[in-house]
Amino acid sequence: MSDGPVPVDASPTRPLRLRDLSEEDLLARIVPVYAAACGREGDVLLGPGDDAAVVAAPSGSVVATTDTMVLGHDWRDDWSSPQDVGDKLVTQNVADVAAMGARPTGLLVTLAAHQDLEVAWVEGFAHGIARAAAAYDVAVVGGDLSGAPEGVVMVTVTALGDLEGREPVRRSGARPGDLLAVHGSLGESGAGWWLYEHGYRPDHAGPWSGDGEPTPQRRRAGAMDHLMWVHRTPVTHPGSGALAARAGATAMIDLSDGLVRDAGRIARASGVRIDLDREALQRDFVAALPVSVLPEQVAWQQVLTGGEEHSLVATFPAGSSLLRDQDDPDGRWWVIGRVLPRGEEEPAVTLDGAAVSGQGWDHFGG
Amino acid sequence: MSDGPVPVDASPTRPLRLRDLSEEDLLARIVPVYAAACGREGDVLLGPGDDAAVVAAPSGSVVATTDTMVLGHDWRDDWSSPQDVGDKLVTQNVADVAAMGARPTGLLVTLAAHQDLEVAWVEGFAHGIARAAAAYDVAVVGGDLSGAPEGVVMVTVTALGDLEGREPVRRSGARPGDLLAVHGSLGESGAGWWLYEHGYRPDHAGPWSGDGEPTPQRRRAGAMDHLMWVHRTPVTHPGSGALAARAGATAMIDLSDGLVRDAGRIARASGVRIDLDREALQRDFVAALPVSVLPEQVAWQQVLTGGEEHSLVATFPAGSSLLRDQDDPDGRWWVIGRVLPRGEEEPAVTLDGAAVSGQGWDHFGG
């Protein structure tokens, strides 16, 4: 033991809380964490510490979007670590930028919390933000700290992006004859949520722990862990959004509220019907879920309506080279449907021509 | 009375709440309100309704800042109307853009609330946002809606801005020999807060209501109403921030946390001392407060440390034409101090050479 004073945060019985620090002390702890996410060279003209940040907008325009997560509403502390929350919040926002066909350039991060919140939570959250931002090659350029009522933790990210000279890919450009394709997974985040809801918990040891070859039981546990991990920290692929834009995507959206609901947004904005292909969805996505744990009906439900996946869904002219030559290092675009004219009284989204039940998420449950 | 069905929100005994509407129904009510704030022509390339907005950035860069307000923490429903809250939130953000010398171009608006919140509050808030945005000539381009725990209402704005080809005015450029000047009021918002705290309430009738000339009592009531109004809805002047930048301001900040604290930020970032001029502050600001209600000591305290004023404070080279020829239609820059070298052990901010007590606001009270 040293003879010097014991730092105030060294006691295991008394965790350091926001009330113990001034705003400047707290910033001094988290700004260096964010500094690890410095983005692409030339993107940040002025970083945190002034009244506002300055981010490069070489195209002469900036893409901007914002998303909020609320404790008890968008995450549970017994499921998600603060790192998970920061990671997911960045992904949600970057996915919205990617869905315009843009490259993310800067993030603003807001935390509103009661002064009882542990400083360790805030530091973990900042590490999650920084980890995801670094993975997506985007900088944290500023933000805000705010007090909040007891028990409240609320985090917001605003993401900025650059279109690299392209037009934005809107929801309204889908035309009859186009094909609908998805980049990334379908139903995994929703299946992970279903597992949590049904009492499963990750076995962080994983299927390759212990001696010898993984047993079927351990493989099954590993598949379940994977789904719960996707639910806690989904991933998106901004480079694939930009690639789709270059390849002539006519409409694009990121999957926040489920395939049926989000494809419906494209269909309504474009004045078309989107017909999902049951066989393609079954072969490429439903069959990929571990039906030994998840009833097949649940797998279908999550593929069609599971939220918070943050994969990209886009429409392409039928002959698009991107759908032929799948050269994206981040993975391929899977064709899962086609765009048709929409007759009066027809639903916006159908599955093999028939209406689909289940609509995905609504943030107020109305 | 019509024979038609009574709309669900027509009953005075059952106010419409968020739980009664889907997210899309709610958006259908507030997006048209925001549409009134369409900004300057050419600023909005893609407005609300897609995954992200696209805002013009003609300078090739974008200024970005964000600020949050929380019910019970940043406003009280018995003091502030929802319109007031929206108005103030826009001002806070626009002031940060202005303090960089930039022109605001776009706003993103986030609301996180429990489903018990009355829809009328949300509509009033949207009207406040739109009114202030229109006044500052900036567009509402997008945002987010989120659920929250019982009793929670939290609102966030992100503001974007364009530097019109200029360099950003940072906090770090003040040099010994510069003069410190303020544009707008000092201490009024803090004095309004003090009046509320001491039980005063606005008399919305105002001093010119009723017959005849206003009496001294009614004038006094009017002066108090004015201060409380400034506290609920301070104003800033983005055009004056841009004018200051063009006139060679060396450092600038907006007054969120009080003159001593915010001038201290310039002083520390610039490595200088800022000496406030007691006579100028007394003559131009303390004397303007109604000392018949507010003890002079309180007036001084609010001029030096009152927060949420959102006036701009900047340093200028001593010969600056802006300080000579006060041609800004929004009002003049008042010289209130000077920039000196900072000796070791010297405080960052002094008043006639002496240390100042009181430091303004800290968001966690640490």
Side-chain angles (χ1 to χ4, degrees):
Chain A
M1 293 282 291
S2 138
D3 292 327
V6 178
V8 69
D9 53 339
S11 161
T13 58
R14 190 190 167 284
L16 195 68
R17 300 184 188 276
L18 292 184
R19 65 166 76 251
D20 300 321
L21 296 182
S22 72
E23 192 174 345
E24 281 174 17
D25 290 340
L26 183 63
L27 285 174
R29 284 170 177 252
I30 60 179
V31 168
V33 176
Y34 290 146
C38 52
R40 200 175 292 191
E41 195 179 338
D43 279 352
V44 182
L45 306 178
L46 182 61
D50 217 298
D51 289 79
V54 187
V55 176
S59 287
S61 71
V62 62
V63 170
T65 183
T66 188
D67 246 320
T68 292
M69 291 176 69
V70 181
L71 171 63
H73 216 88
D74 298 293
W75 84 87
R76 292 171 49 157
D77 276 343
D78 55 334
W79 295 5
S80 297
S81 70
Q83 285 85 349
D84 291 340
V85 175
D87 189 303
K88 187 169 189 168
L89 183 60
V90 170
T91 292
Q92 287 179 359
N93 278 277
V94 164
D96 281 325
V97 169
M100 305 307 290
R103 178 177 75 78
T105 51
L107 305 176
L108 299 167
V109 183
T110 295
L111 168 74
H114 188 257
Q115 53 186 6
D116 277 346
L117 183 65
E118 289 187 27
V119 171
W121 194 95
V122 179
E123 290 174 325
F125 170 75
H127 278 287
I129 291 275
R131 180 179 61 186
Y136 296 128
D137 210 8
V138 56
V140 177
V141 298
D144 189 31
L145 292 169
S146 183
E150 199 169 343
V152 171
V153 185
M154 192 165 312
V155 287
T156 299
V157 160
T158 296
L160 307 177
D162 185 62
L163 285 162
E164 301 177 320
R166 295 180 296 273
E167 287 296 306
V169 182
R170 303 179 55 169
R171 297 177 178 178
S172 55
R175 295 292 168 259
D178 288 353
L179 295 176
L180 181 80
V182 61
H183 185 286
S185 53
L186 274 182
E188 293 194 355
S189 176
W193 170 82
W194 186 91
L195 289 169
Y196 272 114
E197 281 287 304
H198 285 75
Y200 294 92
R201 290 295 177 269
D203 168 14
H204 289 292
W208 283 272
S209 65
D211 292 331
E213 284 294 297
T215 62
Q217 289 76 8
R218 279 195 274 143
R219 281 191 190 280
R220 200 182 87 144
M224 289 159 58
D225 279 8
H226 170 77
L227 298 176
M228 290 183 268
W229 174 78
V230 171
H231 178 67
R232 294 195 313 276
T233 56
V235 290
T236 194
H237 297 280
S240 302
L243 193 64
R246 281 199 297 274
T250 52
M252 188 151 51
I253 195 168
D254 97 281
L255 284 184
S256 351
D257 298 331
L259 177 60
V260 171
R261 199 178 180 106
D262 288 323
R265 290 181 168 135
I266 289 181
R268 272 185 292 274
S270 302
V272 297
R273 172 160 68 96
I274 289 179
D275 188 43
L276 301 172
D277 181 335
R278 178 183 290 272
E279 189 191 331
L281 289 173
Q282 166 71 44
R283 182 186 61 229
D284 298 329
F285 295 99
V286 174
L289 293 171
V291 287
S292 60
V293 200
L294 219 59
E296 185 165 354
Q297 186 195 339
V298 172
W300 262 109
Q301 184 191 7
Q302 296 305 336
V303 164
L304 289 174
T305 66
E308 303 187 352
E309 193 81 17
H310 301 297
S311 299
L312 298 173
V313 168
T315 55
F316 297 89
S320 167
S321 62
L322 187 64
L323 303 180
R324 277 199 317 275
D325 319 320
Q326 300 266 352
D327 59 355
D328 183 350
D330 281 333
R332 60 177 280 194
W333 285 87
W334 301 82
V335 176
I336 55 168
R338 60 199 174 126
V339 180
L340 299 169
R342 183 170 178 190
E344 288 198 33
E345 312 281 312
E346 277 187 329
V349 177
T350 52
L351 179 64
D352 281 1
V356 198
S357 61
Q359 287 294 313
W361 294 99
D362 189 303
H363 292 279
F364 293 108
Chain B
M1 290 284 292
S2 136
D3 292 326
V6 178
V8 69
D9 53 339
S11 162
T13 58
R14 188 189 168 285
L16 195 68
R17 299 183 188 275
L18 291 184
R19 64 167 76 251
D20 300 320
L21 295 182
S22 72
E23 191 173 345
E24 281 174 17
D25 290 340
L26 183 62
L27 285 173
R29 285 171 176 252
I30 60 178
V31 169
V33 175
Y34 290 145
C38 53
R40 201 175 291 191
E41 195 178 338
D43 278 352
V44 183
L45 306 177
L46 181 62
D50 217 298
D51 288 80
V54 186
V55 177
S59 287
S61 71
V62 61
V63 170
T65 183
T66 189
D67 246 318
T68 292
M69 290 176 68
V70 181
L71 171 62
H73 216 88
D74 298 293
W75 84 87
R76 293 172 51 159
D77 275 343
D78 56 335
W79 294 5
S80 296
S81 71
Q83 287 86 348
D84 291 340
V85 175
D87 188 304
K88 187 169 187 169
L89 183 59
V90 170
T91 292
Q92 286 178 359
N93 278 277
V94 164
D96 281 325
V97 170
M100 305 307 290
R103 179 178 75 79
T105 53
L107 305 175
L108 299 168
V109 183
T110 295
L111 168 74
H114 188 256
Q115 52 186 7
D116 276 346
L117 182 66
E118 290 188 27
V119 171
W121 194 94
V122 179
E123 290 174 326
F125 169 74
H127 279 285
I129 292 275
R131 180 180 61 186
Y136 295 128
D137 211 8
V138 56
V140 177
V141 298
D144 189 30
L145 292 170
S146 184
E150 200 169 342
V152 171
V153 184
M154 194 165 310
V155 288
T156 300
V157 160
T158 297
L160 306 177
D162 185 63
L163 285 162
E164 301 177 319
R166 295 180 295 273
E167 289 294 308
V169 182
R170 303 180 55 169
R171 296 177 178 177
S172 53
R175 296 290 167 262
D178 288 353
L179 295 177
L180 182 79
V182 61
H183 184 286
S185 53
L186 274 182
E188 293 194 356
S189 176
W193 170 84
W194 187 92
L195 288 170
Y196 272 115
E197 281 287 305
H198 286 75
Y200 294 91
R201 289 297 176 267
D203 167 16
H204 289 293
W208 284 273
S209 65
D211 294 328
E213 285 293 298
T215 62
Q217 289 76 10
R218 281 196 272 143
R219 282 190 190 279
R220 200 181 89 146
M224 289 159 58
D225 280 8
H226 170 78
L227 298 176
M228 289 183 268
W229 174 79
V230 171
H231 178 67
R232 294 195 312 278
T233 55
V235 290
T236 192
H237 297 280
S240 302
L243 192 65
R246 281 199 297 275
T250 51
M252 188 151 49
I253 195 167
D254 97 282
L255 283 185
S256 352
D257 298 330
L259 176 61
V260 171
R261 198 177 181 108
D262 289 323
R265 290 180 168 134
I266 289 181
R268 273 185 291 273
S270 303
V272 297
R273 172 160 68 98
I274 289 180
D275 188 43
L276 301 172
D277 180 335
R278 178 183 290 270
E279 188 191 332
L281 290 173
Q282 166 72 44
R283 181 185 62 227
D284 299 327
F285 295 100
V286 175
L289 293 172
V291 287
S292 59
V293 199
L294 219 60
E296 185 164 354
Q297 185 193 342
V298 172
W300 262 108
Q301 183 190 10
Q302 296 305 334
V303 164
L304 289 174
T305 67
E308 304 187 351
E309 192 83 17
H310 301 298
S311 299
L312 299 173
V313 167
T315 55
F316 297 88
S320 168
S321 62
L322 188 64
L323 302 181
R324 276 201 315 274
D325 320 319
Q326 301 264 353
D327 58 356
D328 183 351
D330 282 334
R332 60 177 279 193
W333 286 87
W334 300 82
V335 175
I336 56 168
R338 60 197 175 128
V339 180
L340 300 169
R342 184 171 177 191
E344 288 198 33
E345 313 280 312
E346 275 187 328
V349 177
T350 50
L351 179 64
D352 280 1
V356 198
S357 60
Q359 285 297 312
W361 294 99
D362 189 303
H363 292 282
F364 293 109

